[in-house]
């Protein structure tokens, strides 16, 4: 059965939680209309049943909230015990280089598998895939990337994204327009990429351009990339603001030139790369003014509350765009683990890691 994906009502703020279950204070925060989503981290996970209980708690408060996680595989997999171990995307590239057909097939199955596992636990999206190209410069990207060649990134990411769609999960391309050419980690400092726009357009921008329009999907009916997360990187020969605060990158390039009509999530506003915009309210304002639809404030509860209060004072209670894909039909854990595709993919991924 093909699931339907109605528009998701949402406020413009995504925040995080402290532990394994909602506190009374957190439950009250989630009831406030400017909140549109919750992002979960490793600290929110003990075992599958606890995670299902937590997502059920969130659903009972506001079923429309978007529940997200960074669950790409490799270094960035928040839930481990009880979940299939997902390799870094560079492992799929190495398989593809040895056996292209096997690499493409496993990329699709991998996207289907991890999306299906997350959906079965009550989550809506993983912020994936990484579309950055690995130039051997950025350690924070590294093996999270499919590689240094745009055609390779496009081929493998397309299969992974189709697998995610088959499971019923929206995709998020990151970190637009490409984080792989800077050494600095935007979690800790402000990276500056001094390349010209022409170089970026001819290199890092290619995967985002390929997946931005409806014709990127096999049927031509929808973009393979449902959402985008921009980089906290300044591209100094293009715009003085980081991409996530830049009208040039989000409105002119992404929306106008690439024709992207999906949702834009800011990267975490508590990262050092966001400090250029000022305090937390100023960062949220800069991101929303530039074209972000939902802003993330993670690991800083006081800052999240500050942004929430500011949004309410400004009357900003609804995200300008909402995610058009939210699974209505989800396999249970028992149904998923009985699927031959799930078992076969688990075995292949285990051999890939050995």
């Amino acid at each position: 059965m093909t699931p339907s994906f109605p528009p998701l009502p949402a406020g413009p703020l995504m925040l995080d939680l402290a532990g394994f279950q909602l506190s009374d204070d957190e439950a009250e925060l989630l009831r406030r209309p400017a909140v549109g989503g919750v992002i979960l981290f490793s600290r929110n996970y003990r075992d599958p049943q606890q995670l299902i209980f937590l997502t059920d708690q969130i659903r009972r408060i506001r079923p429309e909230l978007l529940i997200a996680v960074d669950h790409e595989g490799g270094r960035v997999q928040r839930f481990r015990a009880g979940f299939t171990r997902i390799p870094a995307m560079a492992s799929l590239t190495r398989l593809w280089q040895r056996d292209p057909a096997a690499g493409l097939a496993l990329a699709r199955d991998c996207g289907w598998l991890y999306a299906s596992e997350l959906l079965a636990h009550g989550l809506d999206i993983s912020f994936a895939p990484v579309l950055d190209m690995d130039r051997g410069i950025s350690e924070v990207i590294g093996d999270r990337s499919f590689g240094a060649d745009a055609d390779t990134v496009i081929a493998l990411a397309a299969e992974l994204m189709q697998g995610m769609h088959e499971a019923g999960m929206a995709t998020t391309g990151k970190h637009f327009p490409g984080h792989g050419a800077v050494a600095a980690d935007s979690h800790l400092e402000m990276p500056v990429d001094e390349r010209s726009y022409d170089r970026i357009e001819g290199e890092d921008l290619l995967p985002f351009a390929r997946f931005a329009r409806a014709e990127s999907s096999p049927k031509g009916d929808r973009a393979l990339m449902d959402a985008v997360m921009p980089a906290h990187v300044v591209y100094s020969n293009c715009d003085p603001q980081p991409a996530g605060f830049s009208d040039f990158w989000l409105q002119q390039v992404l929306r106008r030139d690439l024709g992207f009509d999906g949702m834009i999530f800011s990267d975490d506003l508590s990262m050092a790369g966001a400090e250029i915009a000022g305090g937390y309210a100023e960062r949220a304002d800069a991101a929303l003014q530039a074209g972000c639809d939902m802003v993330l404030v993670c690991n800083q509860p006081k800052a999240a509350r500050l942004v929430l209060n500011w949004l309410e004072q400004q009357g900003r209670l609804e995200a300008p765009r909402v995610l058009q894909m939210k699974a209505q039909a989800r396999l249970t854990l028992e149904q998923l683990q009985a699927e031959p595709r799930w078992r076969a993919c688990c075995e292949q991924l285990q051999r890939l890691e050995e």
Side-chain angles (χ1 to χ4, degrees):
M1 180 180 70
T2 302
S4 60
F5 306 103
L8 176 71
L13 174 65
M14 179 174 282
L15 45 72
D16 57 1
L17 305 173
F20 296 142
Q21 61 184 29
L22 286 176
S23 68
D24 292 341
D25 182 59
E26 289 170 337
E28 287 304 311
L29 285 178
L30 297 189
R31 291 187 177 96
R32 294 168 66 172
V35 176
V38 177
I39 182 169
L40 301 181
F41 290 90
S42 297
R43 65 174 179 270
N44 304 121
Y45 180 71
R46 182 178 58 222
D47 56 56
Q49 293 309 311
Q50 169 271 322
L51 181 57
I52 291 170
F53 178 80
L54 175 58
T55 56
D56 282 348
Q57 277 190 301
I58 296 168
R59 297 273 178 241
R60 285 196 297 271
I61 290 171
R62 282 180 64 199
E64 72 274 14
L65 290 177
L66 186 67
I67 306 178
V69 66
D70 284 310
H71 197 84
E72 310 159 7
R75 289 173 285 150
V76 185
Q77 179 170 339
R78 304 303 188 202
F79 313 140
R80 294 185 178 267
F83 276 76
T84 301
R85 183 176 178 84
I86 307 299
M89 294 299 100
S91 298
L92 295 175
T93 304
R94 289 191 289 271
L95 173 62
W96 177 77
Q97 290 167 340
R98 299 192 304 270
D99 185 339
L104 294 174
L106 187 55
R108 183 181 288 227
D109 283 342
C110 184
W112 172 84
L113 180 142
Y114 78 60
S116 295
E117 289 190 345
L118 292 170
L119 291 169
H121 288 79
L123 286 97
D124 296 306
I125 60 168
S126 171
F127 289 126
V130 167
L131 298 179
D132 306 293
M133 290 195 282
D134 177 23
R135 306 179 178 285
I137 298 171
S138 173
E139 291 185 5
V140 76
I141 300 300
D143 63 1
R144 297 166 66 191
S145 167
F146 288 106
D149 174 68
D151 290 338
T152 300
V153 174
I154 289 168
L156 288 165
E159 294 298 319
L160 186 103
M161 294 161 91
Q162 288 180 62
M164 292 173 70
H165 279 179
E166 288 171 7
M169 179 174 284
T171 62
T172 304
K174 63 185 188 185
H175 303 82
F176 177 83
H179 199 306
V182 290
D185 180 349
S186 54
H187 294 85
L188 306 174
E189 53 187 313
M190 172 53 72
V192 178
D193 187 332
E194 297 179 344
R195 291 177 299 163
S196 68
Y197 177 77
D198 287 345
R199 278 198 62 193
I200 297 168
E201 182 184 35
E203 297 172 356
D204 300 59
L205 203 57
L206 292 173
F208 296 96
R210 174 65 181 82
F211 300 131
R213 296 178 185 267
E215 53 265 32
S216 65
S217 67
K219 295 181 180 179
D221 58 343
R222 57 174 297 175
L224 276 179
M225 187 170 65
D226 300 288
V228 163
M229 180 175 284
H232 286 321
V233 174
V234 170
Y235 302 86
S236 57
N237 280 304
C238 305
D239 192 284
Q241 294 298 319
F245 301 144
S246 167
D247 178 84
F248 169 76
W249 285 111
L250 300 188
Q251 297 295 338
Q252 295 185 50
V253 177
L254 183 60
R255 295 288 190 206
R256 186 193 68 190
D257 297 345
L258 302 189
F260 180 68
D261 194 38
M263 193 167 182
I264 304 176
F265 294 96
S266 82
D267 207 344
D268 179 11
L269 296 185
S270 69
M271 291 165 58
E275 292 175 358
I276 190 172
Y280 279 94
E282 288 79 13
R283 299 177 204 184
D285 187 43
L288 293 168
Q289 291 284 358
C292 289
D293 300 299
M294 187 174 287
V295 297
L296 278 68
V297 181
C298 309
N299 305 307
Q300 295 289 340
K302 291 182 179 179
R305 189 181 290 272
L306 186 155
V307 171
L308 179 56
N309 291 338
W310 176 81
L311 288 167
E312 292 174 344
Q313 291 164 7
Q314 297 294 311
R316 292 183 173 183
L317 304 180
E318 188 173 332
R321 281 178 175 80
V322 295
L323 201 62
Q324 296 297 315
M325 183 176 184
K326 191 176 183 194
Q328 303 300 298
R330 303 168 186 251
L331 296 176
T332 66
L333 282 177
E334 293 76 14
Q335 290 170 331
L336 178 61
Q337 291 167 0
E339 281 277 330
R341 184 180 185 182
W342 180 83
R343 294 197 299 271
C345 186
C346 287
E347 292 170 1
Q348 287 179 285
L349 292 174
Q350 185 174 355
R351 288 197 298 271
L352 193 65
E353 288 284 85
E354 290 174 352

